[in-house]
Amino acid sequence: AQSVTQPDIHITVSEGASLELRCNYSYGATPYLFWYVQSPGQGLQLLLKYFSGDTLVQGIKGFEAEFKRSQSSFNLRKPSVHWSDAAEYFCAVVHNQAGTALIFGKGTTLSVSS
Amino acid sequence: NAGVTQTPKFQVLKTGQSMTLQCAQDMNHNSMYWYRQDPGMGLRLIYYSASEGTTDKGEVPNGYNVSRLNKREFSLRLESAAPSQTSVYFCASRNTGPGNTIYFGEGSWLTVV
């Protein structure tokens, strides 16, 4: 079974600074990877996903992620953070070959300082 | 544009009581899910249903039962609630297939006292 690890529990970034959130996944023949964001008291919203093709994936709200098979990583990046980006971010991987179950990492909380 | 609807939104239970969380989706999705979210633990999969008539255990199934009533509805039942089941519960759905997007309900806040 695949799994996903988010090494950073909490990150604080200054507004306007760049951001990188880390995600590592366990070995799988074809990893299907996702990033979701959750604002306080809200449900989860898909930022972007990767399952084939170009290893640099563009998402909504100016986010991008790069899939690196050699490092088993799928890190999320944003060139310039806005205060509204403060939220919890989850990396997720498809759990089984049938593609029926999605497993989430424990999340990284992003705080944005002015 | 309802998407995934779950009820109730808030519930307080006494230890040992039972209750059912209801979930319905109007996107004609094959797969449905129940997750729980706890501080520092992220979202953990309780049960899922890949298609109507099938259910499978996820990461933390103990203390829960599910029913895939039809293609639209997937309920989660706590037979004898325990304080450890205090959590936020999310229902979700997607079409079967690894790359398909999962859509979440707004969550149900459950407190067991």
Side-chain angles (χ1 to χ4, degrees):
Chain A
Q2 301 204 27
S3 64
V4 61
T5 301
Q6 295 179 247
D8 304 306
I9 297 173
H10 190 193
I11 285 180
T12 299
V13 175
S14 299
E15 191 169 15
S18 63
L19 168 70
E20 183 170 31
L21 301 180
R22 295 185 292 164
C23 173
N24 297 102
Y25 64 93
S26 65
Y27 175 79
T30 306
Y32 295 84
L33 298 157
F34 306 78
W35 274 101
Y36 283 83
V37 60
Q38 184 181 34
S39 298
Q42 302 295 313
L44 281 81
Q45 180 183 23
L46 177 68
L47 286 175
L48 46 80
K49 61 183 178 180
Y50 169 81
F51 50 93
S52 67
D54 194 345
T55 56
L56 185 62
V57 181
Q58 301 297 322
I60 63 171
K61 304 185 179 185
F63 286 92
E64 66 178 26
E66 186 170 12
F67 169 64
K68 293 185 177 180
R69 185 183 292 275
S70 61
Q71 298 178 18
S72 297
S73 69
F74 187 56
N75 294 348
L76 182 71
R77 302 194 295 244
K78 187 170 185 178
S80 178
V81 169
H82 188 263
W83 65 267
S84 61
D85 294 323
E88 191 160 19
Y89 291 80
F90 294 95
C91 185
V93 65
V94 167
H95 172 59
N96 53 8
Q97 283 300 107
T100 50
L102 201 61
I103 300 298
F104 288 81
K106 293 185 177 181
T108 298
T109 300
L110 173 66
S111 297
V112 180
S113 61
S114 56
Chain B
N1 202 13
V4 179
T5 304
Q6 51 182 113
T7 57
K9 194 169 180 66
F10 299 97
Q11 184 73 49
V12 178
L13 285 178
K14 293 182 179 179
T15 297
Q17 285 186 319
S18 62
M19 78 158 296
T20 299
L21 297 174
Q22 307 286 353
C23 177
Q25 52 91 10
D26 62 2
M27 295 173 283
N28 202 36
H29 287 164
N30 296 318
S31 300
M32 296 187 71
Y33 307 83
W34 277 106
Y35 291 89
R36 61 178 287 175
Q37 185 176 23
D38 304 287
M41 300 299 292
L43 284 93
R44 292 181 290 172
L45 182 63
I46 305 171
Y47 271 94
Y48 65 100
S49 170
S51 61
E52 186 178 352
T54 68
T55 61
D56 287 285
K57 294 179 180 179
E59 302 169 274
V60 288
N62 291 344
Y64 304 95
N65 287 302
V66 290
S67 295
R68 184 73 182 267
L69 305 171
N70 47 56
K71 191 171 186 179
R72 290 186 65 249
E73 299 173 289
F74 187 42
S75 63
L76 177 72
R77 183 162 178 84
L78 287 70
E79 291 290 352
S80 178
S84 61
Q85 294 178 304
T86 294
S87 187
V88 182
Y89 291 85
F90 285 95
C91 180
S93 72
R94 65 198 278 257
N95 272 326
T96 305
N100 289 323
T101 300
I102 190 169
Y103 296 87
F104 286 86
E106 294 186 342
S108 296
W109 275 253
L110 176 65
T111 301
V112 183
V113 298

